[in-house]
Amino acid sequence: MGIGGCIILLAAGAILAFGVDWHLAGVNLTVVGVVLMAAGLIGVAVYARVLGRRRHLGRAVDEVVVDERRDLL
């Protein structure tokens, strides 16, 4: 899931947790909203962590020094 999906989870969770006053039998919409917001936050954190690693690895590749030895030929 990308960053857009995580933001949608956060928004949908906030709407269910704070903006809806429906009552369904057997379903607590506030709890469902909080769970969706938690899933969205975890997704954003994981996405940021993976993106940070990719950027860090990209910089490490740019700093590679190649030493050629021509005396072995």
Side-chain angles (χ1 to χ4, degrees), residues 9-10 12-18 28-38:
L9 279 178
L10 279 168
I15 290 169
L16 285 177
F18 306 119
N28 188 345
L29 291 179
T30 303
V31 173
V32 172
V34 170
V35 168
L36 287 176
M37 287 191 299

Side-chain angles (χ1 to χ4, degrees), residues 1 4-5 7 9 13 15 17 22 25 30 34-37 39-40 44 49-50 58-59 64-65 67 70-71:
M1 174 178 358
I7 292 173
L9 279 178
I15 290 169
W22 299 332
T30 303
V34 170
V35 168
L36 287 176
M37 287 191 299
V44 167
R49 181 86 170 174
V50 169
R59 276 185 269 144
V64 172
V65 176
D67 186 23
R70 294 184 183 259
D71 60 341

Side-chain angles (χ1 to χ4, degrees), residues 8 13 16-17 35 43 46 48 57 64 73:
I8 289 173
L16 285 177
V35 168
V46 169
L57 289 176
V64 172
L73 295 176

